[in-house]
Amino acid sequence: MLLLNPRRTRTNMKLLQLVWIFLLTLCGQSGVTAITVKEDDDVILDCSFGSTNIEKKAFAWKKDVDQSNEEVFWYSGGDTDPGPEFKGRVSHFPDQLRFGNASIKITKAKTSDSGTYTCYHASVQKEIKSTISLTVDPILKPRPEIKGAAPRPIVTVDKTKDEVLLT
Ligand SMILES: *[C@@H]1O[C@H](CO)[C@@H](O)[C@H](O)[C@H]1NC(C)=O
């Protein structure tokens, strides 16, 4: 009985601890920040260029770089351009640029906004400044856009002599 041997169990626990510490260290090094918000909430994705004034520089945000490589936001010396999926929902902080702040705000997050966002210096080297893993949790709300789903919960009560049926 492998699992019931107390000495084995202790060794396994130690091993598990080591693996855990190793994983935590790896996560720390890759510098991915995990954020979870509720659907329809606003979310700020942080990115900093240290104390460099970036008003005249170029930076970009992309989503899921390995897969869809979706444009989220683009800034170049005062010009901005939102990605098609984010038109009207993404903004930056113009008065913060001189402090090196390249953060963006996504308003009314959708569940489909979940994914990995990368902020990088849009120069030749494409130096990555920040990586954020965003999870948008669905909330309970009417979803008329989904076919076959009731726009809102419908409960009918059928009463007979000695029972009640909730549908
Ligand atoms: C950038 O500015 C926004 C808005 O003031 C703020 O919420 C955010 O924390 C700032 N981020 C950094 C990296 O300074």
Side-chain angles (χ1 to χ4, degrees):
M1 287 301 284
L2 212 118
L3 284 175
L4 290 184
N5 181 331
R7 199 174 294 152
R8 270 281 176 85
T9 310
R10 222 172 294 142
T11 317
N12 285 348
M13 291 290 278
K14 277 239 176 76
L15 207 73
L16 214 75
Q17 245 168 23
L18 280 178
V19 168
W20 187 234
I21 289 168
F22 175 72
L23 283 179
L24 281 179
T25 314
L26 262 189
C27 287
Q29 274 169 358
S30 67
V32 178
T33 310
I35 302 182
T36 303
V37 295
K38 288 202 193 77
E39 186 180 7
D40 287 346
D41 278 357
D42 295 351
V43 58
I44 291 176
L45 304 180
D46 253 329
C47 178
S48 172
F49 278 61
S51 52
T52 316
N53 182 335
I54 52 170
E55 281 172 326
K56 299 274 185 289
K57 290 189 186 292
F59 66 86
W61 281 87
K62 284 197 175 182
K63 179 173 176 245
D64 298 329
V65 171
D66 296 334
Q67 298 137 46
S68 52
N69 200 9
E70 205 179 305
E71 302 278 349
V72 178
F73 186 78
W74 184 80
Y75 176 94
S76 180
D79 294 329
T80 60
D81 193 18
E85 272 299 312
F86 295 88
K87 216 156 231 150
R89 302 197 293 129
V90 65
S91 55
H92 70 308
F93 301 97
D95 55 340
Q96 293 288 318
L97 293 172
R98 59 203 162 99
F99 307 119
N101 184 340
S103 307
I104 53 169
K105 181 163 99 174
I106 296 174
T107 46
K108 293 199 92 181
K110 303 177 185 179
T111 51
S112 59
D113 290 340
S114 297
T116 305
Y117 291 75
T118 311
C119 164
Y120 59 90
H121 187 182
S123 61
V124 189
Q125 296 89 348
K126 288 199 170 38
E127 191 189 341
I128 292 174
K129 296 292 186 180
S130 148
T131 307
I132 293 167
S133 162
L134 176 68
T135 308
V136 182
D137 283 338
I139 55 168
L140 267 179
K141 66 168 189 176
R143 292 177 199 277
E145 72 276 12
I146 298 177
K147 280 209 192 84
R152 42 180 46 85
I154 299 169
V155 179
T156 59
V157 183
D158 292 320
K159 265 189 239 169
T160 61
K161 219 174 8 174
D162 46 21
E163 41 176 47
V164 174
L165 177 66
L166 290 183
T167 315

